[in-house]
Amino acid sequence: MVAPQSAAAAAKGGSAPSPRGEWQFLQGNEACALAAVAAGCRFYAGYPISPSSEVAEYLSSLLPRCGGRFIQMEDEIAAMGAIIGGSLAGLKAMTATSGPGLSLKQENLGYACMAEVPCVIINVMRGGPSTGAPTSPAQGDIMQARWGTHGDHPTIALTPGSVDEIYRKTIRAFNLAERFRTPVQLLLDEINGHMREKVWVPAAEDIEIVNRTAPPPPSPGYLPYRLDNKLVPQLAPFGTGYRYHVTGLDHGEDGFPTNDPKERARLHKRLMDKISKFEEELEDYERVDVEDADTLLVAFGSTARSAMGALRTARSQGKRVGLFRPITLWPFPEKAFRQAASRAKRILVAEMNLGQLILEIERLTAPGQEVSGVQRSDGEPINPLQILERL
Amino acid sequence: MTVNATNIAEVEMASYDFSKYIRGRYIPHIWCPGCGNGIVLKSLIRAIASSGLDLEKVCLVSGIGCSSRTTGYMDFNTLHTTHGRALAFATGLKFARPELPVLVVSGDGDALAIGGNHFIHSCRRNIDLTLVLFNNHIYGMTGGQFSPTTPRKSFASTSPFGNIEPAFDICQLAIGAGATYVARGTTYHALALDKLILGGIHNKGFSIIEVVTQCPVYYGRKNNQKSPAAALMWQRDHAVAVDRFRKMTPEEQEGKFAIGVLHNQPRPEYNEEYQKLVDRVSGRAS
Ligand SMILES: Cc1ncc(C[n+]2csc(CCOP(=O)(O)OP(=O)(O)O)c2C)c(N)n1
Ligand code: SF4
């Protein structure tokens, strides 16, 4: 399923194939690794875990040959710490993991939110809780991605569907991390992570790359966390003449810990605002046949492919079914969803878990709209028939 | 005061200008009166200042704890991380830019309990970091609970009847795990500490300097070191220069500890090995 892309989607790393490039036949995790390098990632730290390990394996071969750094750390906590260190040194940095590893990363992920260190976390979702089902598909980390680390914090999480889209959204994940100076999570699942499909790999010149803005020249008054109307600070890479302090404690604009309630409130508000005020820029979704739909399917990642199959069959039977597929999962594209759902009497949320995204959808529906779920957590994918019988 | 051979060190120390290396605007610091952390901070400064390192490039990374607050007060590229994870962040920083000198400050709980895994693997990997480990035998910041270096039978806020766990010997642990420079000093022997830290900075590989230091508030008070001075005197009476220590019988060594450079044996350093790998494979198609 590679749906036709709009111009707006192309601007967001959409697939309107660029003039130069080539089709390649790639595995999802492999596409992710290749795209990371294309996006400028030059630092990887990780710890092996199925079904994400191929990302590390490919990067262990790619990075040393392109001026990058690859290190296998002693655990996921260390890996998350190491990419923060690597990013503060000025490199675009990433790690890849799966459910249990994401659980371990949470404290340092919060650190990256708080200290505003750009980085990308790939989570190839598997079954849980606990060790769960290492090589079976699941989509149970939706809320962990949003709220896994403690305290209020902004979250950006993307959920590509096809392997081609994994390539493009990996690049977008790096661009957003650098643009907003925050961790960005890319949620794959065992299905699209391990699937092989054709992928349009554009020529390097045709890939839009966002780099961190450079800080003002060093001066004694340098404030690493200066509050300006862009809301995103301009941290200098370590060792380039600035000598400032980075901490996970509540801090002032100088980066130094503070107990001043006003300064603390200002920091927390800015951290949330710097994402929430740019929701339109972050918004990314696909809508199929929603104009006349009285039943709206909501699905993302590989489940959206089954939803698409069900939609086609249902339409051929004359049923008015549409699909809303969030690609940016967090912040959830609320406005676009509400529009897509405006005519729907029924909303059916398909997800490989026991009901997580449905909570968000229930929050966004209007009175009188009926919301129900197609859910599965037995390690088997949701198939089109399972959805079709509910339409 | 006239300067002579016996007082030259004190005179030099009294006139030493630390202000260049300290973020004066954040003083007063948060440490209790009599805490050893300030002594280690000054020793760190003297070691860095005499090392010839480019001050703009020096990076200092710490975890969480009283000791880990050291980074905030020092005017370098400073990174105060999460509890136990300083070495992981530091590894990333050093690996990303090997030309930056990276020092790490950590407490006994930070480096050996929650951060124990990173500690042994940093030793094994032999990445060029210098770890200054403040061993006050207690979790200071959280109110004096016992740590992996609290001696058996000592009292702590979670061992009100005496600690039943044995303590780590930090230096033995580091040597066993593969660190290439291992030293121990004390806050009593403050000037000797400068040289130990300097030795760590110069070592190309993973270096650890254990500093036996005092937490008069939570450790001393409960364990017969009623004042900061008493804690320092305890160090004086129990520390033995390593050469002498090695000549002592096991009975004589009982209750004492060696100070000085305990181990210094070069091995291939991680970044250099990575560079060799890059040289070998760069330009290869796949
Ligand atoms: C994940 C986590 N667990 C626990 C704590 C609470 N905590 C803060 S400092 C500390 C112990 C510090 O002891 P140590 O490392 O020996 O340093 P000291 O304060 O004695 O210098 C603990 C347990 C924390 N901050 N984070
Ligand atoms: S609690 Fe102990 S270690 Fe912490 S500042 Fe006070 S004396 Fe120092």
Side-chain angles (χ1 to χ4, degrees):
Chain A
M1 180 201 77
V2 181
Q5 300 281 323
S6 65
K12 289 175 169 155
S15 81
S18 45
R20 289 156 299 182
E22 57 175 350
W23 289 103
Q24 289 187 22
F25 187 60
L26 301 173
Q27 189 212 44
N29 286 343
E30 180 183 20
C32 176
L34 285 167
V37 171
C41 172
R42 291 295 177 271
F43 190 98
Y44 178 93
Y47 187 82
I49 183 166
S50 299
S52 77
S53 299
E54 294 86 0
V55 179
E57 289 166 1
Y58 283 113
L59 285 169
S60 71
S61 167
L62 291 168
L63 284 172
R65 288 182 287 127
C66 70
R69 323 287 289 169
F70 173 93
I71 187 168
Q72 184 168 301
M73 295 299 287
E74 52 272 17
D75 58 32
E76 286 88 348
I77 305 172
M80 191 63 213
I83 66 168
I84 296 171
S87 180
L88 280 168
L91 300 186
K92 290 189 183 178
M94 76 180 278
T95 186
T97 190
S98 182
L102 190 70
S103 296
L104 285 179
K105 286 180 195 299
Q106 292 298 346
E107 187 193 9
N108 283 344
L109 201 152
Y111 184 96
C113 294
M114 179 64 134
E116 299 180 74
V117 183
C119 52
V120 172
I121 298 108
I122 312 294
N123 174 13
V124 188
M125 289 186 282
R126 66 187 235 182
S130 189
T131 310
T135 53
S136 300
Q139 295 176 314
D141 298 348
I142 296 170
M143 290 301 170
Q144 185 179 210
R146 176 64 192 93
W147 292 115
T149 197
H150 58 284
D152 294 306
H153 58 276
T155 298
I156 301 179
L158 315 181
T159 56
S162 65
V163 176
D164 185 60
E165 201 169 68
I166 288 175
Y167 189 92
R168 286 175 282 119
K169 299 308 166 185
T170 301
I171 294 171
R172 177 157 158 83
F174 279 95
N175 287 349
L176 293 176
E178 301 292 320
R179 152 83 177 86
F180 290 102
R181 293 197 193 227
T182 196
V184 173
Q185 300 178 57
L186 190 77
L187 304 185
L188 314 185
D189 55 58
E190 194 279 332
I191 298 175
N192 61 17
H194 279 165
M195 190 165 45
R196 287 182 182 274
E197 279 184 316
K198 71 173 189 175
V199 175
W200 177 254
V201 178
E205 315 83 86
D206 294 335
I207 297 176
E208 190 207 327
I209 303 242
V210 177
N211 292 313
R212 291 171 213 186
T213 48
S219 75
Y222 172 66
L223 291 174
Y225 294 96
R226 195 166 74 88
L227 175 65
D228 66 12
N229 54 7
K230 294 201 184 79
L231 302 179
V232 179
Q234 296 180 310
L235 269 62
F238 266 31
T240 55
Y242 291 80
R243 295 210 224 172
Y244 62 100
H245 189 55
V246 177
T247 179
L249 285 165
D250 282 0
H251 46 273
E253 292 183 45
D254 56 359
F256 201 76
T258 179
N259 289 326
D260 175 13
K262 279 205 201 85
E263 265 187 300
R264 299 167 96 157
R266 210 181 304 143
L267 168 69
H268 297 157
K269 180 154 188 328
R270 182 177 61 74
L271 286 179
M272 300 304 276
D273 282 354
K274 83 168 176 180
I275 303 302
S276 65
K277 292 212 167 159
F278 297 92
E279 272 178 18
E280 244 166 75
E281 183 183 336
L282 287 159
E283 172 174 271
D284 193 5
Y285 55 86
E286 186 189 8
R287 291 189 287 210
V288 183
D289 293 346
V290 297
E291 294 72 18
D292 64 343
D294 52 24
T295 298
L296 183 70
L297 285 168
V298 181
F300 67 93
S302 55
T303 304
R305 306 165 72 112
S306 296
M308 193 65 186
L311 179 145
R312 288 212 184 99
T313 313
R315 280 273 165 188
S316 71
Q317 297 165 351
K319 293 178 182 157
R320 289 190 301 174
V321 177
L323 169 69
F324 182 79
R325 177 171 76 95
I327 300 172
T328 295
L329 188 66
W330 302 117
F332 193 80
E334 291 189 22
K335 242 198 327 201
F337 168 76
R338 281 206 171 98
Q339 276 168 11
S342 60
R343 284 165 188 272
K345 296 190 185 68
R346 281 184 67 211
I347 297 169
L348 198 57
V349 186
E351 50 187 330
M352 285 188 280
N353 59 51
L354 296 181
Q356 296 190 15
L357 186 61
I358 195 170
L359 300 173
E360 184 72 1
I361 299 302
E362 282 168 345
R363 190 177 74 77
L364 298 171
T365 44
Q369 282 180 320
E370 178 207 318
V371 182
S372 59
V374 179
Q375 295 158 358
R376 189 159 198 176
S377 78
D378 59 356
E380 293 295 318
I382 292 178
N383 60 53
L385 279 179
Q386 219 186 325
I387 300 173
L388 193 64
E389 65 195 22
R390 301 281 301 277
L391 293 175
Chain B
M1 199 203 290
T2 45
V3 182
N4 57 46
T6 51
N7 74 0
I8 181 151
E10 288 98 295
V11 172
E12 270 184 10
M13 199 150 144
S15 60
Y16 198 96
D17 181 10
F18 291 95
S19 62
K20 204 168 129 191
Y21 312 95
I22 284 189
R23 295 174 172 142
R25 58 194 183 283
Y26 303 126
I27 306 290
H29 54 68
I30 65 161
W31 295 320
C32 311
C35 177
N37 291 349
I39 300 176
V40 192
L41 180 150
K42 285 186 157 181
S43 183
L44 252 169
I45 287 179
R46 292 190 299 269
I48 293 171
S50 64
S51 67
L53 294 176
D54 177 351
L55 301 185
E56 292 299 340
K57 296 219 162 0
V58 173
C59 299
L60 223 61
V61 184
S62 62
I64 297 290
C66 298
S67 40
S68 288
R69 286 298 189 98
T70 302
T71 46
Y73 303 122
M74 297 181 69
D75 196 12
F76 299 102
N77 301 277
T78 55
L79 179 58
H80 180 228
T81 67
T82 47
H83 191 30
R85 317 301 171 196
L87 285 169
F89 283 66
T91 296
L93 188 55
K94 182 73 187 178
F95 184 44
R97 288 191 61 195
E99 73 277 17
L100 299 180
V102 181
L103 288 89
V104 182
V105 171
S106 185
D108 40 291
D110 195 59
L112 301 173
I114 192 164
N117 201 24
H118 315 310
F119 179 84
I120 54 173
H121 287 280
S122 301
C123 293
R124 176 182 64 82
R125 208 173 270 129
N126 196 33
I127 184 161
D128 187 16
L129 301 171
T130 302
L131 168 65
V132 178
L133 200 163
F134 294 43
N135 181 8
N136 59 6
H137 307 105
I138 204 86
Y139 290 165
M141 177 140 272
T142 41
Q145 300 81 10
F146 67 85
S147 88
T149 61
T150 304
R152 225 185 167 114
K153 297 188 180 149
S154 287
F155 295 96
S157 58
T158 46
S159 59
F161 309 114
N163 181 21
I164 60 168
E165 295 192 15
F168 266 140
D169 179 326
I170 299 176
C171 292
Q172 288 298 341
L173 180 62
I175 294 168
T180 46
Y181 176 93
V182 180
R184 187 187 287 122
T186 77
T187 44
Y188 177 83
H189 305 88
L191 293 181
L193 182 58
D194 302 1
K195 298 205 179 65
L196 297 178
I197 297 175
L198 192 60
I201 292 173
H202 287 322
N203 175 50
K204 187 92 192 149
F206 189 75
S207 308
I208 150 148
I209 300 94
E210 174 193 346
V211 187
V212 177
T213 176
Q214 73 277 17
C215 169
V217 174
Y218 289 119
Y219 187 78
R221 211 159 37 96
K222 289 196 162 106
N223 292 287
N224 271 329
Q225 295 168 6
K226 299 286 179 206
S227 67
L232 290 169
M233 291 308 141
W234 180 90
Q235 293 176 11
R236 180 196 64 184
D237 297 340
H238 291 80
V240 179
V242 58
D243 293 343
R244 194 146 64 78
F245 187 84
R246 286 190 175 140
K247 292 192 191 112
M248 288 160 61
T249 63
E251 294 76 42
E252 288 169 329
Q253 287 177 349
E254 189 62 33
K256 305 264 201 265
F257 58 90
I259 54 170
V261 179
L262 309 193
H263 175 84
N264 189 3
Q265 214 168 76
R267 274 196 304 126
E269 193 269 334
Y270 182 78
N271 279 303
E272 291 181 347
E273 290 302 296
Y274 187 83
Q275 190 53 48
K276 282 187 209 155
L277 180 150
V278 167
D279 294 343
R280 203 148 42 81
V281 301
S282 55
R284 274 202 214 170
S286 59

